[in-house]
Amino acid sequence: MDVEVRRLGLVEYGAAWDLQRALAKDVTPDRGFLLLLEHPPVFTLGRNGKASNVLDPGDIPVVRVDRGGDVTYHGPGQLVGYPILDVRRLGVRRFVEGLEASVVDVLGVLGVTARRKRGCVGVWTAKGKIASIGVRVSRGVSTHGFALNVSNDLAPFGRIHPCGQPGCALTSVAAELGRAVAVAEAADRFRLRFGVRMIES
């Protein structure tokens, strides 16, 4: 599959959502897109998420979206990836597992030991959850994707029950390594691993 990667920098959530929906119309079994970007601070609540899991949003907007999963936070310093692909050959489960495996691989290259967790969607280290995944598949085409905590402020996660899990510990690449890590470095690593993982899956 030919995947066009777009590095977009800091993009308002609504604008990125509109772009995903527009690009989804151009996806074919042999052509797709991968958007790599950051968002200004925003909480997003999945289609089956409970509003009660947003404890105290303060001045951070809350957006109800059409992906799976519950509530999560996006902000500067976090790498967000939106694969917009025809996933019918893989199936939704294998697609999500491939995303998780790609994130685990990238973290390994960056020097962070991480793993998938049985019965849960996302990626964890010994210190806590480092990446969230929530997707939507409509007519075989995926939108939304993953959010990897690279060097973002983790404090806003304390205003929610992340992914609907009270007391869920969060971590980041910077917290794991004890040093600053650029989102651009993580984006480059993910771009290189993504195609391989999707093919292997």
Side-chain angles (χ1 to χ4, degrees):
M1 179 186 294
D2 179 23
V3 179
E4 178 183 322
V5 181
R6 298 189 183 184
R7 295 275 296 277
L8 301 178
L10 189 68
V11 182
E12 290 285 346
Y13 189 86
W17 194 7
D18 287 343
L19 178 58
Q20 290 180 72
R21 287 180 286 200
L23 291 175
K25 298 175 183 178
D26 295 329
V27 168
T28 71
D30 299 313
R31 180 180 185 232
F33 304 89
L34 172 62
L35 310 182
L36 296 173
L37 50 94
E38 300 172 66
H39 287 307
V42 62
F43 294 115
T44 64
L45 190 61
R47 60 181 178 269
N48 296 318
K50 296 180 180 179
S52 59
N53 286 323
V54 182
L55 307 177
D56 178 22
D59 59 353
I60 299 177
V62 180
V63 179
R64 174 74 74 168
V65 297
D66 59 357
R67 61 162 172 78
D70 206 286
V71 64
T72 195
Y73 166 74
H74 299 304
Q78 182 187 67
L79 174 63
V80 177
Y82 295 134
I84 308 167
L85 309 171
D86 186 321
V87 299
R88 284 174 291 188
R89 285 181 291 194
L90 279 177
V92 177
R93 182 174 179 178
R94 289 182 66 198
F95 170 63
V96 171
E97 290 174 349
L99 277 182
E100 292 172 329
S102 295
V103 173
V104 169
D105 284 351
V106 168
L107 287 168
V109 172
L110 293 172
V112 176
T113 300
R115 62 183 176 87
R116 295 160 56 197
K117 192 173 182 180
R118 184 181 295 274
C120 299
V121 176
V123 177
W124 278 258
T125 74
K127 292 182 179 179
K129 192 170 189 177
I130 195 168
S132 300
I133 292 176
V135 303
R136 170 181 169 83
V137 176
S138 177
R139 298 179 180 177
V141 176
S142 65
T143 52
H144 301 285
F146 73 89
L148 172 62
N149 297 329
V150 179
S151 58
N152 50 302
D153 181 9
L154 298 176
F157 284 104
R159 300 186 184 187
I160 60 175
H161 288 154
C163 301
Q165 301 173 6
C168 179
L170 275 297
T171 188
S172 68
V173 176
E176 294 286 326
L177 298 180
R179 61 175 176 84
V181 178
V183 172
E185 180 181 358
D188 285 340
R189 299 295 187 182
F190 192 84
R191 177 180 58 81
L192 293 171
R193 286 301 301 159
F194 177 80
V196 175
R197 267 296 176 187
M198 290 301 103
I199 292 170
E200 289 176 353
S201 295

